[in-house]
Amino acid sequence: MSAFPADELRTPRTRLRRPIASDAAAIFARYGSDPEVARYVLWPAATDVSETEAFLQRSLDAWDLEMGHRPWIIEWEGRVAGMIGVTVTNRRAELGYVLARDCWGQGLMTEVVIRVMEHCFEDPTIDRVWAVADVDNTASSRVMEKAEMTFEGVLRAWAHHPGAGGGSRDCRCYSRVRGER
């Protein structure tokens, strides 16, 4: 068994890799500054690349410290397409992901979510993989359904999505537990 999380994972169409500081410009240009992409995530669209650089530094620190939320860059067709990350707490892995708008509708995120879940369950200390989606983010809910995650219910006032009007938002919760499928 390799160390969790691995520095790199692959799917049939994508490469998932640890971010590097020089990814900031591509992230900012491809999706980090896009209000439509940021609509249902925990951060507002970046207005300056320095915000993306600060986020990336926190991500690099999490990798170096081997704790917290550790994201992978999703590369597709030779360029940055998005990110997916995992936070492991008490035998549970929580996923979070984002994808550039021009990559939507290609089935990429479902492919990536499935691979990351497989990787999580390669680690014997992880028994549950889960994620949430804003109740209005039907595309993200559909990703989790196509990845064969189980809908568990709605978590009321679960997250603050600045791009969706602010305030606490209800989220749909999905999971898969070890041995399911």
Side-chain angles (χ1 to χ4, degrees):
M1 180 184 83
S2 61
F4 182 86
D7 289 345
E8 182 176 305
L9 297 171
R10 293 206 178 247
T11 75
R13 297 183 292 163
T14 68
R15 174 183 175 225
L16 312 180
R17 62 165 175 82
R18 281 176 69 155
I20 55 176
S22 61
D23 289 323
I27 291 169
F28 180 79
R30 297 278 292 128
Y31 64 86
S33 61
D34 185 337
E36 188 62 25
V37 171
R39 185 176 198 174
Y40 297 119
V41 296
L42 300 174
W43 41 268
T47 58
D48 187 84
V49 73
S50 64
E51 296 169 289
T52 306
E53 291 167 344
F55 162 75
L56 268 181
Q57 187 56 58
R58 291 188 301 275
S59 298
L60 297 172
D61 291 346
W63 276 98
D64 290 344
L65 296 171
E66 298 182 353
M67 60 188 300
H69 185 75
R70 289 178 267 179
W72 290 276
I73 293 286
I74 302 168
E75 289 182 348
W76 179 52
E77 296 183 342
R79 56 189 207 154
V80 171
M83 289 183 113
I84 185 167
V86 62
T87 304
V88 178
T89 309
N90 299 324
R91 303 184 71 87
R92 297 182 300 268
E94 180 180 8
L95 304 181
Y97 50 83
V98 63
L99 196 62
R101 193 181 337 181
D102 66 336
C103 298
W104 293 356
Q106 306 291 323
L108 290 174
M109 193 52 75
T110 299
E111 183 177 310
V112 168
V113 166
I114 289 168
R115 178 63 187 107
V116 171
M117 280 194 305
E118 289 169 350
H119 182 55
C120 288
F121 289 129
E122 290 167 1
D123 184 319
T125 68
I126 297 175
D127 294 324
R128 172 186 170 86
V129 178
W130 68 289
V132 298
D134 187 287
V135 292
D136 291 334
N137 189 350
T138 56
S140 187
S141 291
R142 187 68 186 123
V143 164
M144 291 183 271
E145 291 163 0
K146 290 191 303 186
E148 298 183 9
M149 296 175 81
T150 300
F151 173 66
E152 294 187 332
V154 173
L155 302 171
R156 297 180 310 143
W158 183 258
H160 178 78
H161 299 144
S168 295
R169 307 269 306 169
D170 293 351
C171 290
R172 294 172 57 89
C173 181
Y174 293 83
S175 74
R176 185 182 299 168
V177 297
R178 182 176 297 283
E180 277 185 340
R181 202 156 147 160

